[in-house]
Amino acid sequence: MELHAVADLPEIRPGDDLAALIADRADLAEGDVVTVASTVVSKAEGRAFDLADFPASPRAREIAGRLEELTGDEKDPRFAQAVLEESTELLMDAPFLLTETRFGHVCVNAGIDRSNVPDHDLLLLPTRPTESAERLRGGLLATGLEDVAVIVTDTCGRPFRHGQRGVALGWAGMPASRDWRGERDRDGRELGVTVQSVVDELASAANLVTGEGADGTPAVVVRDWSFGDLEGSDQLFREVETDFVRHALREWEYEP
Ligand code: GDP
Ligand code: MN
Ligand code: MN
């Protein structure tokens, strides 16, 4: 398996045809998986905004005030407003905002970035990253290929661990995970629980290549990787009923 950076992509602007920009620079082959950082998907989809676009509601002001009080960091209530508007559930309001985004991904600040965004204050995540991945895939298939998958990624922290890594937000042309249940381990024991989150693993590998700073690239081609014969599934985000950590968080309150 090889990972290739797609070099020389320009600064992405609203309305850009990202699939064409990538296809022009990538020399894609059948079976490739193309990962695209959500940052540029958002830029192409016009998801850059200013704080002024989010007049703060009383709730946003209350949340920002509490955060400022507890952490000592200055919090703009309009930022809290943007996070609330992007989210369906506020899981933690301190010492940072942890929410479920409208498309089901749980992360800090609804994934809103304030870096790598020229001319604007905020870059929101794509509204429906799986639909973004499907559109990008459609654009790549239009170049004459038949078998290409796309993963829209973000760099994201995870609970229980320091540091950030690449995760998948949306995907198309491949299942999200590979189901090893019923397969045998080296001792012949049947695997009971292993469902491998393939799109996250590919997103993490690709994130090593994209980098985070000014001289990285938002698109990576994964070549000669194969899903194999196992069953696939498109479940990535846990259902609320069986998401027990979420239930615990709902009961928890931060005390400095
Ligand atoms: P995220 O992980 O999806 O939040 O994306 P990042 O902001 O970390 O960006 C991923 C990589 O793409 C970084 O190496 C950035 O330098 C690069 N990048 C971000 N925006 C652009 C852009 O508009 N054009 C190009 N060519 N690279 C970009
Ligand atoms: Mn991001
Ligand atoms: Mn990143």
Side-chain angles (χ1 to χ4, degrees):
M1 162 184 175
E2 295 173 6
L3 287 97
H4 299 269
V6 179
D8 301 324
L9 283 163
E11 179 64 35
I12 302 302
R13 315 208 158 272
D16 277 354
D17 185 346
L18 208 44
L21 290 168
I22 292 170
D24 281 349
R25 290 163 177 77
D27 196 21
L28 293 173
E30 298 292 354
D32 283 349
V33 180
V34 180
T35 71
V36 188
S38 51
T39 292
V40 290
V41 177
S42 292
K43 285 178 181 173
E45 293 179 0
R47 298 280 285 160
F49 291 93
D50 294 309
L51 284 166
D53 298 324
F54 297 94
S57 62
R59 182 151 182 253
R61 277 199 290 275
E62 186 190 314
I63 286 170
R66 185 171 133 79
L67 264 172
E68 204 165 306
E69 204 173 290
L70 290 173
T71 65
D73 302 335
E74 200 182 313
K75 296 288 172 198
D76 194 314
R78 297 169 300 177
F79 184 76
Q81 179 67 30
V83 173
L84 289 176
E85 287 185 24
E86 286 295 289
S87 304
T88 52
E89 181 174 5
L90 181 62
L91 286 162
M92 280 172 63
D93 61 359
F96 47 77
L97 302 178
L98 183 76
T99 73
E100 176 174 354
T101 66
R102 295 189 174 278
F103 62 92
H105 170 55
V106 173
C107 63
V108 172
N109 290 339
I112 300 174
D113 275 342
R114 305 184 75 169
S115 57
N116 290 328
V117 204
D119 310 325
H120 286 285
D121 301 331
L122 310 173
L123 189 64
L124 277 48
L125 288 180
T127 316
R128 299 250 163 231
T130 285
E131 288 170 22
S132 307
E134 279 161 5
R135 275 196 299 275
L136 284 165
R137 179 168 182 262
L140 297 176
L141 294 179
T143 65
L145 291 161
E146 286 176 3
D147 177 20
V148 173
V150 172
I151 303 174
V152 174
T153 67
D154 194 16
T155 310
C156 197
R158 295 282 80 192
F160 311 114
R161 312 178 76 95
H162 285 295
Q164 289 86 41
R165 72 218 62 218
V167 299
L169 301 183
W171 54 93
M174 65 180 293
S177 50
R178 186 156 68 174
D179 193 346
W180 290 86
R181 290 173 299 179
E183 298 294 309
R184 307 258 158 205
D185 74 1
R186 293 163 72 91
D187 289 329
R189 217 180 307 236
E190 191 174 309
L191 298 175
V193 292
T194 308
V195 177
Q196 185 179 26
S197 174
V198 168
V199 287
D200 274 342
E201 293 190 313
L202 292 175
S204 271
N207 208 56
L208 288 171
V209 178
T210 64
E212 302 294 337
D215 51 4
T217 178
V220 174
V221 177
V222 182
R223 180 151 301 162
D224 289 336
W225 180 82
S226 143
F227 189 90
D229 298 331
L230 295 178
E231 286 279 310
S233 135
D234 265 332
Q235 284 179 311
L236 191 66
F237 307 127
R238 282 188 187 279
E239 300 72 25
V240 173
E241 306 77 56
T242 55
D243 191 352
F244 301 115
V245 175
R246 178 194 303 239
H247 290 289
L249 271 179
R250 283 172 171 173
E251 307 296 315
W252 181 80
E253 246 193 78
Y254 175 69
E255 280 174 53

